[in-house]
Each structure stands twice: as structure tokens, then as C-alpha cells.
């Protein structure tokens, strides 16, 4: 079944992890044997051939570069200008993938419909370009608010103002503060230009302010439920209800620490906690119970977000295994129509409305 994954950090993996994503992930892992500079070396589960193998024909692909002020111990760049330059390198990688026929950028409804028709024409998918909608995870690299216009021109269509820690425009996971004055200005400019606001990673204070200020389309590309795993990274039921009221779609994330309480990174394993794809579906089920229907859930795996097989559902050997989800949903009583909604329909409906 045609599948949309609403959050993959492809360019970060290509450049910072130095991975040739045109190769099968097994080849990437073989080349990384013995490396220890990254926590997931030799455990990659994402590459373009594996996306095609799983019939994942469209992804929301990120640019990401954090600014870190003095005293901030998170990894990042020492000026917004450096962060911007990093995102432009990532953009160049996506553009090169386009030139090589590996990917194709989707910026509007016409391009979306053409791409979906290509992937659903009944022909073999192994050589088709993977479509991507460009998103920015964390707004620190937007040097000034007027840089949003430059970003929109090169095809950026979604933006999450926060990532981890304190941000220039909004605070994110494991931090807390109201939106800055520039953050409020950023949201109004995003609204003016027609961006999609990604509520993922916004701290609670910024989340509620953002929903009040921003009038345009809102989604959460990769987020789970606080009711099941109590952490500020997850959404409370009240936040889920607010997103549902805005017509949002929430993508189920597959990072195991978000699926099992008390996870210790580098120590806990998916096997000992029995974290599986069904654990992800528990979160999607919970969102359905809050919403009263299956119209607000999708896939937003984040399977290349600085983790791999060591911190992914144990029954997932590569991203191609997202193809197991339809049967798992049917076993839970989901209708064929609802299965299609989860795998692609809800994201497509959202995009068509947002881009009308």
C-alpha cells in the first residue's frame, strides 16, 4: 500500500552521518562496522532503496541545524548564520538527489497529484523517485524573519519553530518558556506565506501560544501520547484535542524511548521492553479514542533521527517494514478505509486542504 512518512532526517544522515542513502541500508551498515562516533553506527534502517521497497513514495524530509548560545551543551552551531549555511548544504543534497532522479520535490497540489499518480500507476516502484516535502525542524537557522521568504522560494513548506532545548524563536523538548517576540513575528510571517506549522517539539507554553497566534494549517509530524509515556516530548490529551479541533494529523513516532517509560538511552533495548510496531499503534489508537475517529493519525517515523535498529521497534529491521502496519491495523479492527487513512489518506487530505 502506498505510504507517506511525515518525518525523516534524510539530509542530516547524508551529511553529518556521511551515509550514501542511494545504497541499501545493509551496505551503509557494512561500511560503518567498527565506527563508534555516532550512537547508531551500523544500525541504519533508512535508505532510498528501502523506502521504495516499503512502497513509501512520499516523505516529509527535514533540514535541521540548531543554534547554541554559550552555556548550551546541546550539539549545534555558534551563530544563526552558521546554522543557515548548514541547512543550505542540506538543501544542496536534496537538489542533487533530484538531479540524479533519486527524489523529487513536492511544493504544491499539482505536483502532489502528479507524483501520487506516478506511484499508483501499477508499475514497478524500484526506480521511481521518492517524493519529498521540505520541512525545517527548529527555526534557529532562520537568521532573520525575512529569511522565511528565501526559504519559501527554494521550496520549504513546513516549519517546526522548536527542537530540543532553548531556541531563538521557541523553546522545545526539555525546556520551557513562552514564545519570544521574534517567535510570534515568525508565526505571523509563516501564516502570511502559507507555511504548515509543525507543532512537534514545542514546549507546552509555546504550543498553546502558537495555536492561538497561528491561523493556518497545523500538523504534528512525529509525536506520541503523554498518557501512555509521561514526558514533555509527548502530547497531553488536551493538546491532542486542540490539534484535532484544528484539523491536524499526528504522525506516530518510532523512537523506542518515546514508547517505553523510563528508557535509558544506550542501555535499554527494544527486546527487553517488548517495544514493537504494535506499541506505536497503541499511541495511534489512543489518539483515535481522543478524536473519536481515525482521521487524525498517520506515520511520522523519525527512524533516522540519530537512532537506528538499537532504538526502534524490535520487529522492524528496516523502514521497508512499515508495510507490516496495514495487517496490524486490521487485526485491531480497523477497516480497509481507515487503514488507507493511516498509511497515506489523512496526510493527503491535509495537504490538499492546506494547498488549496
Amino acid at each position: 500500500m502506498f505510504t507517506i512518512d511525515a518525518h525523516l532526517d534524510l539530509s542530516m544522515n547524508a551529511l553529518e552521518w556521511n551515509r550514501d542513502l542511494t545504497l541499501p541500508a545493509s551496505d551503509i551498515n557494512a561500511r560503518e562496522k567498527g565506527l563508534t562516533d555516532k550512537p547508531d553506527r551500523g544500525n541504519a534502517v533508512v535508505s532510498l532503496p528501502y523506502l521504495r521497497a516499503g512502497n513509501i513514495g512520499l516523505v516529509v524530509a527535514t533540514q535541521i541545524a540548531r543554534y547554541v548560545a554559550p552555556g548550551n551543551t546541546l550539539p549545534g552551531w555558534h551563530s544563526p548564520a552558521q546554522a543557515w549555511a548548514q541547512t543550505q548544504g542540506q538543501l544542496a543534497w536534496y537538489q542533487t538527489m533530484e538531479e540524479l532522479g533519486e527524489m523529487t520535490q513536492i511544493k504544491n497540489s499539482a505536483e502532489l497529484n502528479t507524483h501520487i499518480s506516478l506511484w499508483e500507476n501499477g508499475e514497478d516502484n524500484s526506480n521511481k523517485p521518492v517524493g519529498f516535502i521540505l520541512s525545517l525542524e527548529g527555526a534557529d537557522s532562520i537568521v532573520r524573519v525575512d529569511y522565511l521568504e528565501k526559504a519559501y522560494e527554494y521550496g520549504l513548506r513546513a516549519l517546526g519553530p522548536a527542537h530540543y532545548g532553548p531556541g531563538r524563536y521557541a523553546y522545545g523538548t526539555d525546556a520551557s518558556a513562552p514564545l519570544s517576540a521574534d517567535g510570534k513575528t515568525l508565526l505571523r510571517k509563516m501564516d502570511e506565506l502559507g507555511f504548515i506549522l509543525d507543532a512537534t517539539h514545542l514546549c507546552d507554553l509555546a504550543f498553546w501560544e502558537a495555536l492561538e497566534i497561528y491561523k493556518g494549517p497545523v500538523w504534528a509530524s512525529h509525536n506520541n501520547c503523554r498518557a501512555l509515556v509521561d514526558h514533555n516530548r509527548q502530547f497531553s490529551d488536551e493538546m491532542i484535542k486542540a490539534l484535532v479541533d484544528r484539523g491536524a494529523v499526528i504522525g506516530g513516532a518510532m523512537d523506542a524511548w518515546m514508547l517505553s517509560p523510563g528508557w535509558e538511552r544506550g542501555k535499554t533495548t527494544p527486546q527487553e521492553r517488548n517495544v514493537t510496531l504494535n506499541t506505536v499503534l497503541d499511541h495511534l489508537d489512543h489518539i483515535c479514542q481522543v478524536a473519536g475517529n481515525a482521521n487524525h493519525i498517520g506515520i511520522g517515523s523519525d527512524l533516522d533521527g540519530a537512532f537506528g535498529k538499537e532504538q526502534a521497534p524490535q520487529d522492524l529491521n528496516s523502514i521497508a517494514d512499515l508495510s507490516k502496519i496495514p495487517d496490524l491495523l486490521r487485526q485491531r479492527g480497523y477497516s480497509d478505509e481507515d487503514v488507507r487513512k493511516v498509511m497515506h489518506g489523512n496526510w493527503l487530505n491535509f495537504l490538499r486542504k492546506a494547498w488549496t
Side-chain angles (χ1 to χ4, degrees):
M1 181 178 295
F2 179 77
T3 301
I4 295 175
D5 190 327
H7 188 80
L8 289 176
D9 294 307
L10 296 175
S11 63
M12 180 185 77
N13 268 251
L15 298 188
E16 292 187 52
W17 268 245
N18 195 15
R19 288 172 168 168
D20 181 357
L21 298 183
T22 67
L23 299 175
S26 56
D27 290 5
I28 294 170
N29 290 331
R31 187 158 188 179
E32 292 182 357
K33 186 177 180 180
L35 296 181
T36 58
D37 59 311
K38 301 287 187 183
D40 60 333
R41 284 299 188 200
N43 283 309
V45 296
V46 176
S47 71
L48 292 168
Y50 282 21
L51 286 170
R52 296 185 186 99
N55 207 31
I56 304 159
L58 180 62
V59 302
V60 178
T62 68
Q63 297 170 288
I64 181 170
R66 181 189 294 110
Y67 162 71
V68 288
N72 187 341
T73 59
L74 290 170
W77 303 97
H78 291 182
S79 72
Q82 289 169 271
W84 170 264
Q86 176 71 4
T87 65
Q88 298 314 287
Q90 294 167 354
L91 174 64
W93 180 80
Y94 287 118
Q95 291 171 337
T96 304
M97 290 299 99
E98 280 201 278
E99 291 169 1
L100 296 176
E102 295 279 350
M103 303 184 76
T104 186
Q105 188 173 11
I106 308 299
K107 304 181 294 297
N108 54 53
S109 287
E111 293 174 354
L112 177 66
N113 291 334
T114 298
H115 185 70
I116 298 305
S117 295
L118 171 66
W119 271 77
E120 294 191 326
N121 65 9
E123 298 177 4
D124 179 62
N125 293 333
S126 59
N127 292 311
K128 292 177 183 177
V130 175
F132 72 99
I133 298 164
L134 198 58
S135 180
L136 180 64
E137 188 172 23
D140 286 354
S141 60
I142 301 297
V143 180
R144 299 188 307 262
V145 170
D146 63 303
Y147 271 59
L148 277 177
E149 296 179 4
K150 299 175 186 283
Y152 192 86
E153 286 176 7
Y154 67 63
L156 188 69
R157 290 296 179 266
L159 193 156
H163 191 226
Y164 276 79
R168 296 177 58 227
Y169 296 98
Y171 278 38
T173 301
D174 293 333
S176 182
L179 292 169
S180 67
D182 284 343
K184 296 175 182 179
T185 302
L186 180 88
L187 287 172
R188 295 186 179 102
K189 187 65 174 178
M190 287 172 59
D191 219 342
E192 174 190 324
L193 292 170
F195 277 91
I196 296 164
L197 169 63
D198 191 346
T200 305
H201 281 294
L202 285 169
C203 74
D204 287 18
L205 290 173
F207 174 92
W208 292 111
E209 283 190 317
L211 288 193
E212 182 177 350
I213 293 168
Y214 198 74
K215 306 306 179 186
V218 182
W219 70 21
S221 60
H222 58 303
N223 236 99
N224 293 336
C225 304
R226 200 174 293 181
L228 302 185
V229 177
D230 188 9
H231 191 277
N232 65 75
R233 169 69 176 83
Q234 319 271 58
F235 286 143
S236 68
D237 286 2
E238 185 181 13
M239 297 164 89
I240 293 169
K241 288 175 185 174
L243 289 168
V244 167
D245 288 344
R246 290 291 292 267
V249 179
I250 302 169
M254 299 190 182
D255 194 337
W257 83 263
M258 298 172 63
L259 301 168
S260 182
W263 185 277
E264 292 187 67
R265 294 178 192 243
K267 295 182 179 179
T268 312
T269 68
Q271 290 74 21
E272 69 185 63
R273 292 292 182 86
N274 195 30
V275 173
T276 67
L277 287 168
N278 261 317
T279 316
V280 182
L281 299 189
D282 290 341
H283 286 260
L284 295 184
D285 267 339
H286 184 80
I287 295 168
C288 290
Q289 299 310 312
V290 174
N293 54 56
N295 299 334
H296 299 275
I297 57 172
I299 307 299
S301 72
D302 196 23
L303 279 170
D304 54 358
F307 71 98
K309 185 72 178 82
E310 82 290 349
Q311 202 165 293
Q314 61 173 310
D315 52 346
L316 184 144
N317 292 309
S318 81
I319 197 166
D321 286 333
L322 296 186
S323 61
K324 297 177 179 179
I325 290 176
D327 282 344
L328 295 174
L329 289 169
R330 292 186 188 100
Q331 290 168 20
R332 287 171 176 250
Y334 282 71
S335 67
D336 287 344
E337 180 184 359
D338 283 344
V339 170
R340 285 190 291 272
K341 288 178 181 179
V342 176
M343 301 311 292
H344 62 261
N346 288 335
W347 291 122
L348 289 180
N349 289 340
F350 179 97
L351 287 165
R352 286 166 176 154
K353 289 177 184 176
W355 287 350
T356 298

